[in-house]
Short mmCIF file of all heavy atoms in Angstrom, two decimals:
data_model
loop_
_atom_site.label_atom_id
_atom_site.label_comp_id
_atom_site.label_asym_id
_atom_site.label_seq_id
_atom_site.Cartn_x
_atom_site.Cartn_y
_atom_site.Cartn_z
N LEU N 53 26.93 -72.45 32.49
CA LEU N 53 26.58 -71.56 33.57
C LEU N 53 26.80 -72.22 34.93
O LEU N 53 27.00 -73.48 35.04
CB LEU N 53 25.06 -71.27 33.56
CG LEU N 53 24.63 -70.56 32.23
CD1 LEU N 53 23.11 -70.49 32.28
CD2 LEU N 53 25.25 -69.21 32.20
N SER N 54 26.97 -71.44 36.02
CA SER N 54 26.98 -72.00 37.24
C SER N 54 25.61 -72.21 37.94
O SER N 54 24.71 -71.46 37.45
CB SER N 54 27.77 -70.95 38.21
OG SER N 54 27.47 -71.04 39.47
N VAL N 55 25.46 -73.05 38.89
CA VAL N 55 24.15 -73.24 39.38
C VAL N 55 23.66 -71.99 40.13
O VAL N 55 22.41 -71.75 40.40
CB VAL N 55 23.96 -74.51 40.39
CG1 VAL N 55 24.01 -75.76 39.64
CG2 VAL N 55 25.06 -74.39 41.46
N TYR N 56 24.60 -71.11 40.53
CA TYR N 56 24.40 -69.86 41.29
C TYR N 56 24.02 -68.64 40.31
O TYR N 56 23.61 -67.58 40.80
CB TYR N 56 25.49 -69.46 42.12
CG TYR N 56 25.63 -70.49 43.32
CD1 TYR N 56 26.74 -71.35 43.30
CD2 TYR N 56 24.70 -70.53 44.33
CE1 TYR N 56 26.90 -72.21 44.37
CE2 TYR N 56 24.85 -71.53 45.23
CZ TYR N 56 25.97 -72.31 45.33
OH TYR N 56 26.13 -73.27 46.34
N ALA N 57 24.32 -68.87 38.97
CA ALA N 57 24.11 -67.76 38.11
C ALA N 57 22.66 -67.36 38.12
O ALA N 57 21.79 -68.22 38.09
CB ALA N 57 24.53 -68.09 36.73
N PRO N 58 22.32 -66.00 38.20
CA PRO N 58 20.91 -65.64 38.35
C PRO N 58 20.11 -66.16 37.24
O PRO N 58 18.91 -66.48 37.32
CB PRO N 58 21.03 -64.09 38.28
CG PRO N 58 22.40 -63.75 37.95
CD PRO N 58 23.27 -64.97 38.12
N ASP N 59 20.67 -66.41 36.00
CA ASP N 59 19.86 -66.89 34.85
C ASP N 59 20.14 -68.36 34.60
O ASP N 59 19.81 -68.90 33.48
CB ASP N 59 20.15 -66.06 33.62
CG ASP N 59 21.66 -65.99 33.27
OD1 ASP N 59 22.46 -66.48 34.16
OD2 ASP N 59 22.02 -65.45 32.29
N SER N 60 20.58 -69.10 35.56
CA SER N 60 20.87 -70.61 35.34
C SER N 60 19.56 -71.34 35.37
O SER N 60 18.53 -70.85 35.81
CB SER N 60 21.85 -71.09 36.37
OG SER N 60 21.30 -71.04 37.67
N HIS N 62 16.94 -74.19 36.31
CA HIS N 62 16.57 -75.05 37.47
C HIS N 62 15.29 -75.73 37.18
O HIS N 62 14.25 -75.25 37.79
CB HIS N 62 16.58 -74.28 38.69
CG HIS N 62 17.85 -73.74 39.18
ND1 HIS N 62 18.66 -74.42 40.11
CD2 HIS N 62 18.65 -72.73 38.69
CE1 HIS N 62 19.81 -73.84 40.19
NE2 HIS N 62 19.81 -72.72 39.41
N TYR N 79 27.48 -79.95 35.12
CA TYR N 79 26.39 -79.03 35.73
C TYR N 79 25.18 -79.86 36.17
O TYR N 79 24.62 -79.66 37.24
CB TYR N 79 25.93 -78.11 34.64
CG TYR N 79 24.78 -77.19 35.00
CD1 TYR N 79 25.05 -75.90 35.58
CD2 TYR N 79 23.41 -77.57 34.84
CE1 TYR N 79 23.99 -75.07 35.93
CE2 TYR N 79 22.38 -76.80 35.30
CZ TYR N 79 22.68 -75.52 35.81
OH TYR N 79 21.63 -74.65 36.18
N TYR N 86 22.93 -79.57 44.34
CA TYR N 86 22.36 -78.30 44.82
C TYR N 86 20.91 -78.31 45.15
O TYR N 86 20.37 -77.95 46.26
CB TYR N 86 22.67 -77.23 43.74
CG TYR N 86 21.98 -75.88 43.99
CD1 TYR N 86 22.73 -74.88 44.58
CD2 TYR N 86 20.78 -75.53 43.34
CE1 TYR N 86 22.15 -73.63 44.82
CE2 TYR N 86 20.15 -74.28 43.56
CZ TYR N 86 20.91 -73.32 44.30
OH TYR N 86 20.43 -72.10 44.48
N GLY N 90 22.87 -80.44 48.91
CA GLY N 90 24.26 -80.50 49.01
C GLY N 90 24.84 -79.12 48.87
O GLY N 90 24.19 -78.07 48.91
N LYS N 91 26.25 -79.09 48.64
CA LYS N 91 26.89 -77.85 48.56
C LYS N 91 27.69 -77.72 47.33
O LYS N 91 28.41 -78.65 46.95
CB LYS N 91 27.74 -77.64 49.78
CG LYS N 91 27.84 -76.25 50.39
CD LYS N 91 28.60 -76.40 51.66
CE LYS N 91 28.91 -75.10 52.33
NZ LYS N 91 29.72 -75.25 53.45
N VAL N 92 27.46 -76.67 46.53
CA VAL N 92 28.30 -76.32 45.35
C VAL N 92 29.04 -75.15 45.55
O VAL N 92 28.42 -74.15 45.93
CB VAL N 92 27.34 -76.35 44.07
CG1 VAL N 92 28.23 -76.13 42.87
CG2 VAL N 92 26.56 -77.63 43.95
N GLU N 93 30.34 -75.12 45.33
CA GLU N 93 31.10 -73.90 45.62
C GLU N 93 31.96 -73.57 44.43
O GLU N 93 32.45 -74.47 43.69
CB GLU N 93 31.94 -74.03 46.86
CG GLU N 93 31.19 -74.06 48.04
CD GLU N 93 32.05 -74.26 49.33
OE1 GLU N 93 32.38 -75.46 49.58
OE2 GLU N 93 32.42 -73.30 49.93
N SER N 94 32.18 -72.21 44.26
CA SER N 94 33.04 -71.85 43.23
C SER N 94 34.49 -72.09 43.75
O SER N 94 34.82 -71.54 44.84
CB SER N 94 32.80 -70.29 42.98
OG SER N 94 33.68 -69.78 42.10
N ASP N 130 32.82 -74.54 39.07
CA ASP N 130 32.18 -74.84 40.45
C ASP N 130 32.51 -76.29 40.77
O ASP N 130 32.91 -77.13 39.88
CB ASP N 130 30.75 -74.74 40.44
CG ASP N 130 30.24 -73.25 40.37
OD1 ASP N 130 31.18 -72.39 40.38
OD2 ASP N 130 29.09 -72.98 40.24
#
Side-chain angles (χ1 to χ4, degrees):
L53 300 175
S54 155
V55 287
Y56 292 112
D59 52 355
S60 63
H62 293 264
Y79 177 94
Y86 176 85
K91 217 171 178 188
V92 178
E93 286 179 279
S94 173
D130 291 353

